[in-house]
Amino acid sequence: MTRLGLRPWHRGDHPRPGSVPVTVVVLTRDEEVNITRCLDSVGWAAQALVVDSGSSDKTVPLALELGADVVEQPWLGFSGQREFALRLPDVRHDWVYFVDADEWVSPQLAAEIAARLTETDCAAFVHRLRLVFLDNWIRHCGWYSGSAVVRLVDRRRASYDGSLVAERATVDGPVGRLANDIVDQDQKGLASWLHKHIRYAELEQSRRGQPAPLPERLRRFRARDRTGTRPVARIILRDLVFPAVPARPLALFLYMYVLRLGLLDGRAGLRFCFFHAWYQATVDGLQAETRLRDPARSGS
């Protein structure tokens, strides 16, 4: 067991290898550092399918050696890639579980999924995500409590919304809740994490565009898709309140580190909250650059 109190599933654990009628889908690009641990931890699933978007390292050979099916697909965006995977004829099961390459599944979560799949009234399941950052589980700062993600879906009753980043499943039917968490523990290091979040900031800036006036944000809120899985409280905070907050990077840091007690996560918590404030500053800087380069667009 790790300091998390969890370890990845491995052969010899319950459920038995290949015994659970679910297709695990892993989206990859240059994930040779993480892919073996990830695929080993989902060996309980009847099928593992890697959708690779152009890896130049050993990701694909490793996945094939581990018995996964591999499909090559140029990158369509986070939502587009998941939607593509859902509709693949290579998927052999209606239940699809999306696991990121830097994540792993514990025996407890695997056993719960095997048991809960008999609940045919559910169209999807949500669970929380335990993020390990700089070898520490980030329990506070609002991250863990707000980390619920829909990953296990009946592909006949689910689709993805087209978002460039922070994709969300739209589900036609009840969504159950799993008690056990998936673990996000990237082994690539901090420099890789920072580079990845610069790319995310560029995508987020493209998604947001320039902040809309409050009446327009209210109109979008009223017209939102109510079949989505994003909590209403988070929609209000993120889409209505936060765009109007001055000094947003500083406000975000104080909210996460002080109000949501990120300070209890020690030095890792301090750095995590700082880097999220930096991420917000990066998005704001990209928006400011867009306004300078295209004044007509900034006034739209």
Side-chain angles (χ1 to χ4, degrees):
M1 293 286 179
T2 67
R3 284 177 291 176
L4 291 166
L6 298 172
R7 61 163 175 80
W9 178 96
H10 56 65
R11 291 179 181 272
D13 289 332
H14 175 76
R16 293 178 294 104
S19 64
V20 183
V22 61
T23 294
V24 170
V25 172
V26 185
L27 307 183
T28 61
R29 183 173 182 181
D30 295 333
E31 289 287 354
E32 69 174 35
V33 174
N34 292 310
I35 193 64
T36 297
R37 183 191 61 188
C38 174
L39 290 178
D40 280 346
S41 79
V42 298
W44 45 270
Q47 182 187 19
L49 175 65
V50 168
V51 179
D52 188 77
S53 57
S55 290
S56 58
D57 63 4
K58 297 179 181 177
T59 299
V60 170
L62 285 171
L64 291 170
E65 287 177 16
L66 292 164
D69 298 321
V70 176
V71 173
E72 301 278 357
Q73 171 58 45
W75 187 244
L76 300 170
F78 290 97
S79 184
Q81 204 78 350
R82 292 191 192 277
E83 182 66 20
F84 169 82
L86 279 182
R87 309 306 159 203
L88 275 172
D90 306 69
V91 173
R92 299 199 295 265
H93 301 277
D94 290 324
W95 281 101
V96 173
Y97 186 34
F98 286 102
V99 178
D100 289 348
D102 58 3
E103 297 171 345
W104 53 264
V105 175
S106 67
Q108 294 91 330
L109 177 56
E112 184 179 14
I113 289 172
R116 297 291 297 277
L117 282 182
T118 60
E119 298 182 7
T120 54
D121 59 320
C122 287
F125 289 94
V126 62
H127 59 39
R128 288 200 290 192
L129 183 150
R130 293 195 191 192
L131 174 66
V132 179
F133 182 75
L134 299 179
D135 294 326
N136 286 267
W137 174 19
I138 302 298
R139 304 188 190 201
H140 304 97
C141 76
W143 189 262
Y144 178 62
S145 62
S147 68
V149 289
V150 173
R151 294 285 193 80
L152 180 59
V153 300
D154 182 338
R155 68 175 183 151
R156 299 165 297 183
R157 304 167 70 186
S159 62
Y160 279 84
D161 60 8
S163 301
L164 292 172
V165 68
E167 70 281 3
R168 294 278 173 177
T170 298
V171 178
D172 182 16
V175 177
R177 178 173 288 272
L178 300 175
N180 289 282
D181 308 328
I182 195 168
V183 178
D184 181 343
Q185 189 175 17
D186 195 345
Q187 299 178 107
K188 291 181 179 178
L190 180 60
S192 174
W193 190 92
L194 293 172
H195 284 297
K196 177 171 67 176
H197 280 75
I198 291 173
R199 295 195 299 272
Y200 287 174
E202 292 173 330
L203 292 171
E204 184 67 13
Q205 189 275 331
S206 298
R207 183 190 71 84
R208 292 185 194 179
Q210 299 304 318
L214 179 59
E216 175 61 18
R217 298 202 302 273
L218 286 169
R219 186 193 66 78
R220 293 175 185 173
F221 173 73
R222 295 191 187 100
R224 73 189 186 283
D225 181 0
R226 287 173 170 77
T227 65
T229 55
R230 190 174 164 199
V232 174
R234 297 196 73 182
I235 296 175
I236 292 172
L237 283 173
R238 180 173 175 173
D239 297 348
L240 297 182
V241 177
F242 191 64
V245 173
R248 286 181 289 185
L250 177 60
L252 181 63
F253 176 81
L254 293 174
Y255 172 77
M256 294 177 68
Y257 190 67
V258 180
L259 292 181
R260 298 306 302 269
L261 300 178
L263 54 91
L264 297 181
D265 289 319
R267 291 184 179 179
L270 174 62
R271 292 188 173 103
F272 186 74
C273 295
F274 170 80
F275 284 131
H276 273 272
W278 162 83
Y279 171 81
Q280 181 60 50
T282 303
V283 174
D284 289 350
L286 291 170
Q287 289 180 320
E289 181 184 52
T290 299
R291 289 195 297 270
L292 289 172
R293 290 183 174 181
D294 190 356
R297 184 178 174 184
S298 68
S300 61

